[in-house]
Structure formats: C-alpha cells, structure tokens
Coordinates of all heavy atoms in Angstrom, one line a residue:
M1 N -5.4 211.9 177.2 CA -5.4 211.0 178.2 C -6.4 209.9 177.9 O -7.4 210.2 177.3 CB -5.7 211.6 179.6 CG -5.6 210.7 180.7 SD -5.5 211.7 182.2 CE -4.6 210.7 183.3
V2 N -6.2 208.7 178.4 CA -7.1 207.6 178.1 C -8.4 207.7 178.9 O -8.3 208.0 180.1 CB -6.4 206.2 178.5 CG1 -7.3 205.1 178.2 CG2 -5.1 206.1 177.7
A3 N -9.5 207.5 178.3 CA -10.8 207.6 179.0 C -10.9 206.4 180.0 O -10.4 205.3 179.7 CB -11.9 207.6 178.0
R4 N -11.6 206.7 181.1 CA -11.9 205.6 182.0 C -12.8 204.5 181.4 O -13.6 204.8 180.6 CB -12.5 206.1 183.3 CG -11.4 206.8 184.1 CD -11.7 206.9 185.6 NE -11.5 205.9 186.5 CZ -10.4 205.3 186.9 NH1 -9.3 205.7 186.3 NH2 -10.3 204.5 187.9
I5 N -12.6 203.3 181.9 CA -13.5 202.2 181.4 C -14.8 202.3 182.1 O -14.9 202.6 183.3 CB -12.8 200.9 181.8 CG1 -11.4 200.8 181.2 CG2 -13.7 199.7 181.4 CD1 -10.6 199.6 181.7
R6 N -15.8 202.1 181.3 CA -17.2 202.3 181.9 C -17.8 201.0 182.3 O -18.8 201.0 183.0 CB -18.1 203.0 180.8 CG -17.4 204.4 180.4 CD -18.5 205.4 180.2 NE -17.9 206.6 179.6 CZ -17.3 207.6 180.2 NH1 -17.2 207.5 181.5 NH2 -16.9 208.6 179.6
S7 N -17.4 199.9 181.8 CA -18.0 198.6 182.1 C -17.6 198.2 183.5 O -16.4 198.1 183.8 CB -17.5 197.5 181.1 OG -17.9 196.3 181.5
P8 N -18.6 197.9 184.3 CA -18.2 197.4 185.7 C -17.4 196.2 185.8 O -16.5 196.1 186.7 CB -19.6 197.2 186.4 CG -20.6 197.9 185.5 CD -20.0 198.0 184.1
R9 N -17.6 195.3 184.8 CA -16.8 194.0 184.9 C -15.3 194.3 184.5 O -14.4 193.8 185.2 CB -17.4 193.0 183.9 CG -18.6 192.3 184.4 CD -19.1 191.3 183.5 NE -19.8 191.9 182.4 CZ -20.1 191.4 181.2 NH1 -19.9 190.1 181.0 NH2 -20.8 192.0 180.3
L10 N -15.1 195.2 183.6 CA -13.8 195.5 183.3 C -13.1 196.3 184.4 O -11.9 196.1 184.7 CB -13.7 196.3 181.9 CG -14.0 195.5 180.7 CD1 -14.0 196.5 179.5 CD2 -13.0 194.4 180.5
I11 N -13.8 197.2 185.0 CA -13.2 197.9 186.1 C -12.9 197.0 187.3 O -11.9 197.1 187.9 CB -14.2 199.0 186.6 CG1 -14.4 200.1 185.5 CG2 -13.8 199.6 187.9 CD1 -15.4 201.2 185.8
F12 N -13.7 196.0 187.5 CA -13.4 195.0 188.5 C -12.1 194.2 188.2 O -11.3 194.1 189.1 CB -14.6 194.0 188.7 CG -14.3 192.9 189.7 CD1 -14.4 193.2 191.0 CD2 -14.0 191.6 189.3 CE1 -14.1 192.2 192.0 CE2 -13.7 190.6 190.2 CZ -13.8 190.9 191.6
F13 N -11.9 193.8 187.0 CA -10.7 193.0 186.6 C -9.5 193.9 186.4 O -8.4 193.5 186.6 CB -11.0 192.1 185.4 CG -11.9 191.0 185.7 CD1 -13.2 190.9 185.2 CD2 -11.5 189.9 186.6 CE1 -14.0 189.9 185.5 CE2 -12.3 188.9 186.8 CZ -13.6 188.8 186.3
F14 N -9.7 195.1 185.8 CA -8.6 196.0 185.5 C -8.9 197.4 186.1 O -9.1 198.3 185.3 CB -8.5 196.1 184.0 CG -8.4 194.8 183.3 CD1 -9.4 194.2 182.6 CD2 -7.2 194.0 183.4 CE1 -9.3 193.0 182.0 CE2 -7.1 192.8 182.7 CZ -8.1 192.3 182.0
P15 N -8.8 197.5 187.4 CA -9.1 198.8 188.0 C -8.2 200.0 187.5 O -8.6 201.1 187.5 CB -9.0 198.6 189.5 CG -8.1 197.4 189.6 CD -8.3 196.6 188.4
D16 N -7.0 199.7 187.2 CA -6.0 200.8 186.8 C -5.7 200.7 185.3 O -4.6 201.0 184.9 CB -4.7 200.6 187.6 CG -5.0 200.9 189.1 OD1 -5.9 201.7 189.4 OD2 -4.3 200.3 189.9
F17 N -6.6 200.2 184.5 CA -6.4 200.0 183.1 C -5.9 201.3 182.5 O -4.9 201.3 181.7 CB -7.7 199.5 182.4 CG -7.5 199.2 181.0 CD1 -6.8 198.1 180.6 CD2 -8.0 200.1 180.0 CE1 -6.6 197.8 179.3 CE2 -7.8 199.8 178.7 CZ -7.2 198.6 178.3
D18 N -6.5 202.4 182.7 CA -6.1 203.7 182.1 C -4.7 204.1 182.5 O -3.9 204.5 181.6 CB -7.1 204.8 182.4 CG -7.3 205.0 183.9 OD1 -7.0 204.1 184.7 OD2 -7.7 206.1 184.3
K19 N -4.3 203.8 183.7 CA -2.9 204.1 184.2 C -1.9 203.2 183.5 O -0.8 203.6 183.1 CB -2.8 204.0 185.7 CG -3.6 205.1 186.4 CD -3.6 204.9 187.9 CE -4.5 205.9 188.6 NZ -4.8 205.5 189.9
D20 N -2.3 201.9 183.4 CA -1.5 200.9 182.7 C -1.2 201.3 181.3 O -0.1 201.1 180.7 CB -2.1 199.5 182.8 CG -2.1 199.0 184.2 OD1 -1.3 199.5 185.1 OD2 -2.9 198.0 184.5
L21 N -2.3 201.8 180.6 CA -2.1 202.2 179.2 C -1.1 203.3 179.1 O -0.3 203.4 178.1 CB -3.5 202.6 178.6 CG -4.4 201.5 178.1 CD1 -5.7 202.1 177.5 CD2 -3.7 200.7 177.1
I22 N -1.2 204.2 180.0 CA -0.2 205.4 179.9 C 1.2 204.8 180.1 O 2.1 205.2 179.3 CB -0.5 206.4 181.0 CG1 -1.8 207.1 180.7 CG2 0.6 207.4 181.2 CD1 -2.4 207.9 181.9
H23 N 1.5 203.9 181.0 CA 2.8 203.3 181.1 C 3.2 202.5 179.9 O 4.3 202.5 179.5 CB 2.9 202.5 182.4 CG 2.7 203.2 183.7 ND1 3.6 204.2 184.1 CD2 1.7 203.2 184.6 CE1 3.2 204.7 185.2 NE2 2.0 204.2 185.6
L24 N 2.2 201.8 179.3 CA 2.5 201.0 178.1 C 2.8 201.9 177.0 O 3.7 201.6 176.2 CB 1.2 200.2 177.8 CG 1.3 199.3 176.6 CD1 2.4 198.2 176.8 CD2 0.0 198.6 176.3
E25 N 2.2 203.0 176.9 CA 2.5 204.0 175.8 C 3.9 204.5 176.0 O 4.6 204.6 175.0 CB 1.4 205.1 175.9 CG 1.7 206.2 174.8 CD 0.7 207.4 174.8 OE1 0.0 207.5 175.9 OE2 0.7 208.1 173.9
A26 N 4.3 204.9 177.2 CA 5.6 205.4 177.4 C 6.7 204.3 177.1 O 7.7 204.6 176.4 CB 5.8 205.8 178.8
A27 N 6.4 203.1 177.5 CA 7.3 202.0 177.2 C 7.4 201.7 175.7 O 8.5 201.5 175.2 CB 6.9 200.7 177.9
S28 N 6.3 201.8 175.0 CA 6.4 201.6 173.6 C 7.1 202.7 172.8 O 7.8 202.4 171.9 CB 5.0 201.4 173.0 OG 4.3 202.6 173.1
K29 N 7.0 203.9 173.3 CA 7.8 205.0 172.7 C 9.3 204.8 172.9 O 10.1 205.0 172.0 CB 7.4 206.3 173.3 CG 6.0 206.8 172.8 CD 5.7 208.2 173.4 CE 4.3 208.6 172.9 NZ 3.9 209.9 173.5
I30 N 9.7 204.3 174.1 CA 11.1 204.0 174.4 C 11.6 202.9 173.4 O 12.6 203.0 172.8 CB 11.3 203.6 175.8 CG1 11.1 204.8 176.7 CG2 12.7 203.0 176.1 CD1 11.0 204.5 178.2
Q31 N 10.7 201.8 173.3 CA 11.1 200.7 172.4 C 11.2 201.2 170.9 O 12.1 200.8 170.2 CB 10.1 199.6 172.5 CG 10.1 198.8 173.8 CD 11.4 198.1 174.0 OE1 12.0 197.6 173.1 NE2 11.9 198.2 175.2
L32 N 10.3 202.1 170.5 CA 10.4 202.6 169.1 C 11.7 203.5 168.9 O 12.3 203.4 167.9 CB 9.1 203.4 168.8 CG 7.9 202.6 168.6 CD1 6.7 203.6 168.4 CD2 8.0 201.7 167.4
K33 N 12.0 204.2 170.0 CA 13.2 205.0 169.9 C 14.5 204.1 169.8 O 15.3 204.4 168.9 CB 13.4 205.9 171.1 CG 14.6 206.8 171.1 CD 14.7 207.7 172.3 CE 16.0 208.5 172.2 NZ 16.4 209.0 173.5
L34 N 14.5 203.1 170.6 CA 15.6 202.1 170.5 C 15.7 201.4 169.1 O 16.8 201.2 168.6 CB 15.6 201.1 171.6 CG 15.8 201.6 173.0 CD1 15.5 200.6 174.1 CD2 17.2 202.2 173.2
L35 N 14.5 201.1 168.6 CA 14.5 200.4 167.3 C 15.0 201.4 166.2 O 15.7 200.9 165.3 CB 13.0 200.0 167.0 CG 12.8 199.3 165.7 CD1 13.6 198.0 165.6 CD2 11.3 199.0 165.5
A36 N 14.6 202.6 166.3 CA 15.0 203.6 165.3 C 16.5 203.8 165.4 O 17.2 203.9 164.3 CB 14.3 204.9 165.6
E37 N 17.1 203.8 166.6 CA 18.6 203.9 166.7 C 19.3 202.7 166.2 O 20.3 202.8 165.5 CB 18.9 204.1 168.2 CG 18.5 205.5 168.8 CD 18.7 205.6 170.3 OE1 19.1 204.6 170.9 OE2 18.4 206.6 170.8
E38 N 18.7 201.5 166.4 CA 19.3 200.3 165.8 C 19.2 200.3 164.3 O 20.2 199.9 163.6 CB 18.6 199.1 166.4 CG 19.0 198.8 167.9 CD 18.3 197.5 168.4 OE1 17.9 196.7 167.6 OE2 18.1 197.4 169.6
M39 N 18.1 200.8 163.8 CA 18.0 200.8 162.3 C 19.0 201.8 161.7 O 19.6 201.6 160.7 CB 16.6 201.2 161.9 CG 15.5 200.2 162.2 SD 13.9 200.7 161.8 CE 13.9 201.1 160.1
Q40 N 19.2 203.0 162.4 CA 20.2 203.9 161.9 C 21.6 203.3 161.9 O 22.4 203.5 161.0 CB 20.2 205.2 162.8 CG 19.0 206.0 162.5 CD 19.0 207.3 163.5 OE1 19.7 207.3 164.5 NE2 18.2 208.2 163.1
A41 N 21.9 202.5 163.0 CA 23.2 201.9 163.1 C 23.4 200.8 162.0 O 24.5 200.7 161.4 CB 23.4 201.2 164.5
I42 N 22.4 200.1 161.7 CA 22.4 199.1 160.6 C 22.6 199.8 159.3 O 23.4 199.3 158.5 CB 21.1 198.2 160.6 CG1 21.1 197.3 161.9 CG2 21.0 197.4 159.4 CD1 19.8 196.6 162.1
N43 N 21.9 200.9 159.0 CA 22.0 201.6 157.8 C 23.4 202.1 157.6 O 24.0 202.1 156.5 CB 21.0 202.7 157.7 CG 19.6 202.2 157.4 OD1 19.4 201.1 156.8 ND2 18.6 203.0 157.8
K44 N 24.0 202.6 158.7 CA 25.4 203.1 158.6 C 26.3 202.0 158.3 O 27.2 202.1 157.5 CB 25.7 203.8 160.0 CG 27.1 204.4 160.0 CD 27.2 205.5 159.0 CE 28.6 206.2 159.1 NZ 28.8 207.2 158.0
G45 N 26.1 200.9 159.0 CA 27.0 199.7 158.7 C 26.9 199.2 157.2 O 27.8 198.9 156.6
L46 N 25.6 199.3 156.7 CA 25.4 198.9 155.3 C 26.1 199.9 154.3 O 26.6 199.5 153.3 CB 23.9 198.8 155.0 CG 23.2 197.6 155.6 CD1 21.7 197.7 155.3 CD2 23.8 196.3 155.0
E47 N 26.1 201.2 154.7 CA 26.8 202.2 153.9 C 28.3 201.9 153.8 O 28.9 202.0 152.8 CB 26.5 203.6 154.4 CG 25.1 204.1 154.2 CD 24.9 205.4 154.9 OE1 25.8 206.0 155.4 OE2 23.7 205.9 154.9
I48 N 28.8 201.5 155.0 CA 30.3 201.2 155.0 C 30.6 200.0 154.2 O 31.6 199.9 153.5 CB 30.7 201.0 156.5 CG1 30.6 202.4 157.2 CG2 32.1 200.4 156.6 CD1 30.8 202.3 158.7
V49 N 29.7 198.9 154.3 CA 29.9 197.7 153.5 C 29.9 198.1 152.0 O 30.7 197.6 151.2 CB 28.9 196.6 153.9 CG1 28.9 195.5 152.9 CG2 29.2 196.1 155.3
E50 N 28.9 198.9 151.7 CA 28.8 199.3 150.2 C 30.0 200.0 149.8 O 30.5 199.8 148.7 CB 27.6 200.2 150.1 CG 27.3 200.6 148.6 CD 26.1 201.5 148.5 OE1 25.7 202.2 149.5 OE2 25.6 201.5 147.4
Q51 N 30.6 200.9 150.6 CA 31.8 201.6 150.2 C 33.0 200.7 150.0 O 33.7 200.8 149.1 CB 32.2 202.6 151.3 CG 31.2 203.8 151.4 CD 31.5 204.7 152.6 OE1 32.4 204.5 153.4 NE2 30.7 205.8 152.7
Y52 N 33.1 199.7 150.9 CA 34.2 198.7 150.8 C 34.0 197.8 149.5 O 34.9 197.5 148.8 CB 34.3 197.8 152.0 CG 35.1 198.3 153.1 CD1 34.4 198.7 154.3 CD2 36.4 198.5 153.0 CE1 35.2 199.3 155.4 CE2 37.2 199.0 154.1 CZ 36.5 199.4 155.2 OH 37.3 199.9 156.3
L53 N 32.7 197.5 149.2 CA 32.4 196.7 148.0 C 32.8 197.5 146.8 O 33.4 197.0 145.8 CB 31.0 196.3 148.0 CG 30.5 195.5 146.9 CD1 31.2 194.1 146.8 CD2 29.0 195.2 147.0
L54 N 32.4 198.8 146.7 CA 32.7 199.6 145.5 C 34.2 199.8 145.4 O 34.7 199.7 144.3 CB 32.0 200.9 145.7 CG 30.5 200.9 145.5 CD1 29.9 202.3 145.8 CD2 30.1 200.5 144.1
A55 N 34.9 199.9 146.5 CA 36.4 200.1 146.4 C 37.0 198.8 145.9 O 37.9 198.9 145.1 CB 36.9 200.5 147.8
S56 N 36.5 197.7 146.3 CA 37.1 196.4 145.9 C 36.8 196.2 144.4 O 37.6 195.7 143.6 CB 36.6 195.2 146.7 OG 35.2 195.0 146.5
V57 N 35.6 196.6 143.9 CA 35.2 196.4 142.5 C 36.1 197.3 141.7 O 36.7 196.9 140.6 CB 33.7 196.7 142.3 CG1 33.4 196.9 140.8 CG2 32.9 195.6 142.9
R58 N 36.4 198.5 142.2 CA 37.3 199.4 141.4 C 38.7 198.9 141.4 O 39.4 199.0 140.3 CB 37.2 200.8 142.1 CG 36.0 201.6 141.9 CD 36.0 203.0 142.5 NE 34.7 203.6 142.4 CZ 34.1 204.2 143.4 NH1 34.7 204.2 144.6 NH2 32.9 204.7 143.2
L59 N 39.1 198.3 142.5 CA 40.4 197.7 142.5 C 40.6 196.6 141.5 O 41.6 196.4 140.8 CB 40.8 197.3 143.9 CG 42.2 196.8 144.2 CD1 43.2 197.8 143.8 CD2 42.4 196.3 145.6
L60 N 39.5 195.7 141.5 CA 39.5 194.6 140.5 C 39.5 195.1 139.1 O 40.2 194.6 138.2 CB 38.4 193.7 140.8 CG 38.4 192.8 142.0 CD1 37.1 192.1 142.2 CD2 39.6 191.9 141.9
D61 N 38.7 196.2 138.8 CA 38.7 196.8 137.5 C 40.1 197.3 137.1 O 40.6 197.1 136.0 CB 37.7 197.9 137.4 CG 36.3 197.4 137.4 OD1 36.1 196.2 137.2 OD2 35.4 198.2 137.6
Y62 N 40.7 198.0 138.0 CA 42.1 198.5 137.8 C 43.1 197.4 137.5 O 43.9 197.4 136.6 CB 42.6 199.3 139.0 CG 44.0 199.9 138.9 CD1 44.3 200.9 138.1 CD2 45.0 199.2 139.5 CE1 45.6 201.4 137.9 CE2 46.3 199.7 139.4 CZ 46.6 200.8 138.6 OH 47.9 201.2 138.5
A63 N 43.0 196.3 138.3 CA 43.9 195.2 138.1 C 43.6 194.5 136.8 O 44.6 194.1 136.1 CB 43.7 194.2 139.3
A64 N 42.4 194.4 136.4 CA 42.1 193.8 135.1 C 42.6 194.6 133.9 O 43.2 194.1 133.0 CB 40.6 193.6 134.9
V65 N 42.5 195.9 134.0 CA 43.1 196.8 133.0 C 44.6 196.7 133.0 O 45.2 196.6 131.9 CB 42.6 198.3 133.2 CG1 43.4 199.3 132.3 CG2 41.1 198.4 133.0
A66 N 45.2 196.7 134.1 CA 46.6 196.6 134.2 C 47.1 195.3 133.6 O 48.1 195.3 132.9 CB 47.1 196.8 135.6
M67 N 46.4 194.2 133.9 CA 46.8 192.9 133.3 C 46.6 192.9 131.8 O 47.5 192.3 131.1 CB 46.0 191.8 134.0 CG 46.3 191.6 135.5 SD 48.1 191.1 135.7 CE 48.1 189.5 135.1
S68 N 45.5 193.4 131.3 CA 45.3 193.4 129.9 C 46.3 194.3 129.2 O 46.8 194.0 128.1 CB 43.9 193.8 129.5 OG 43.7 195.2 129.9
D69 N 46.7 195.4 129.8 CA 47.8 196.3 129.2 C 49.1 195.5 129.2 O 49.8 195.6 128.2 CB 47.9 197.6 130.0 CG 46.8 198.5 129.8 OD1 46.0 198.3 128.8 OD2 46.7 199.5 130.6
R70 N 49.4 194.8 130.2 CA 50.6 194.1 130.3 C 50.7 193.0 129.2 O 51.7 192.8 128.6 CB 50.7 193.5 131.7 CG 52.0 192.8 131.9 CD 52.2 192.3 133.3 NE 53.4 191.6 133.5 CZ 53.8 191.0 134.5 NH1 53.0 191.0 135.6 NH2 55.0 190.4 134.6
H71 N 49.6 192.3 129.1 CA 49.5 191.2 128.0 C 49.6 191.9 126.6 O 50.2 191.3 125.7 CB 48.3 190.4 128.2 CG 48.4 189.4 129.4 ND1 49.3 188.4 129.4 CD2 47.7 189.5 130.6 CE1 49.1 187.8 130.6 NE2 48.2 188.4 131.3
A72 N 49.0 193.0 126.5 CA 49.0 193.7 125.1 C 50.4 194.2 124.8 O 50.7 194.2 123.6 CB 48.0 194.8 125.2
N73 N 51.2 194.4 125.7 CA 52.6 194.9 125.5 C 53.6 193.7 125.4 O 54.8 193.9 125.3 CB 53.0 195.9 126.6 CG 52.3 197.2 126.5 OD1 51.8 197.6 125.5 ND2 52.1 197.8 127.7
G74 N 53.1 192.5 125.3 CA 53.9 191.4 125.1 C 54.5 190.7 126.3 O 55.3 189.8 126.2
H75 N 54.2 191.2 127.5 CA 54.7 190.5 128.7 C 53.9 189.3 128.9 O 52.7 189.2 128.8 CB 54.5 191.5 129.9 CG 55.4 192.7 129.8 ND1 54.9 193.9 129.3 CD2 56.7 192.9 130.2 CE1 55.9 194.8 129.3 NE2 56.9 194.2 129.8
R76 N 54.6 188.3 129.4 CA 54.0 187.0 129.7 C 53.9 186.9 131.2 O 54.8 187.4 131.9 CB 54.8 185.8 129.2 CG 54.8 185.7 127.7 CD 55.5 184.5 127.3 NE 55.8 184.5 125.9 CZ 56.4 183.6 125.3 NH1 56.8 182.5 125.9 NH2 56.7 183.7 124.0
S77 N 52.9 186.3 131.7 CA 52.9 186.0 133.1 C 53.8 184.9 133.4 O 54.0 183.9 132.6 CB 51.4 185.6 133.6 OG 51.0 184.5 132.9
V78 N 54.4 184.9 134.6 CA 55.4 183.9 135.0 C 54.6 182.9 135.7 O 53.9 183.1 136.7 CB 56.4 184.6 135.9 CG1 57.4 183.5 136.4 CG2 57.2 185.7 135.2
T79 N 54.7 181.6 135.2 CA 54.1 180.5 135.9 C 55.2 179.5 136.3 O 56.1 179.3 135.5 CB 53.1 179.8 135.0 OG1 53.7 179.4 133.8 CG2 51.9 180.7 134.6
P80 N 55.1 179.0 137.5 CA 56.1 178.0 137.9 C 56.1 176.8 137.0 O 55.1 176.3 136.5 CB 55.7 177.7 139.3 CG 54.3 178.2 139.5 CD 54.0 179.1 138.4
S81 N 57.3 176.3 136.6 CA 57.4 175.1 135.8 C 57.3 173.9 136.7 O 57.7 173.9 137.8 CB 58.7 175.1 135.0 OG 59.8 175.2 135.9
A82 N 56.8 172.9 136.1 CA 56.6 171.6 136.8 C 58.0 170.9 137.0 O 58.8 171.0 136.0 CB 55.6 170.7 136.1
P83 N 58.2 170.3 138.1 CA 59.6 169.7 138.3 C 59.7 168.4 137.4 O 59.0 167.8 136.9 CB 59.6 169.3 139.7 CG 58.2 169.5 140.3 CD 57.4 170.2 139.3

C-alpha cells in the first residue's frame, strides 16, 4: 500500500493522494492488459499476412517452374497479333 504523504503542504493540496494512487495503479493495470491483448491481435494478424505472403511466393515459384518447363519443351506462349 502507498505510504501517506508526510508534507503538510502536499496533504493540503492532495489530501487523498494515496487513494488516488491506488486507483491510478488499477487503471494502469487495465490499460496494460488491453495493450497486451491488442499486441496479441496484431501479432496474430501479422502471422496470417506472413502465411499469405509465403503461399503467394510458393505459387509464383511454381508458376515460374511451370513456365520454364513449358518453354523448354518447345511450347510458345500465345501472344495476340496486331491488327
């Protein structure tokens, strides 16, 4: 528990300082809990983004291999002819 203020001037201006500190401590713990929950949600979102990014890189790698195999086997890509 917070010790009482011993200075008469401070007691005059802040008579319930020790009680206010207790409420401030409780409020700060709530804020820290909410911040921790938000950080967990952000981290989970970043994990999902990372999974999508890795999946898209793998898909691009697969497409690049498929295209190089197709060109190696003599297939030409079809390009529209100019009118």
Side-chain angles (χ1 to χ4, degrees):
M1 185 163 207
V2 180
R4 283 204 82 64
I5 302 171
R6 304 216 189 277
S7 171
R9 283 186 280 168
L10 287 177
I11 292 173
F12 177 75
F13 289 110
F14 307 104
D16 295 328
F17 183 74
D18 56 338
K19 294 175 187 167
D20 291 341
L21 277 181
I22 292 170
H23 295 295
L24 181 61
E25 181 183 10
S28 67
K29 285 181 181 179
I30 292 170
Q31 290 297 321
L32 287 174
K33 182 182 177 196
L34 292 174
L35 180 61
E37 290 171 357
E38 288 181 23
M39 288 176 61
Q40 287 177 343
I42 289 170
N43 284 335
K44 182 64 177 173
L46 288 174
E47 289 174 9
I48 292 170
V49 169
E50 182 181 24
Q51 290 172 359
Y52 277 110
L53 181 61
L54 289 173
S56 65
V57 167
R58 289 184 187 128
L59 185 59
L60 287 173
D61 288 343
Y62 176 78
V65 169
M67 292 299 290
S68 67
D69 287 348
R70 183 175 180 186
H71 288 291
N73 291 330
H75 293 95
R76 293 187 196 179
S77 61
V78 178
T79 56
S81 58

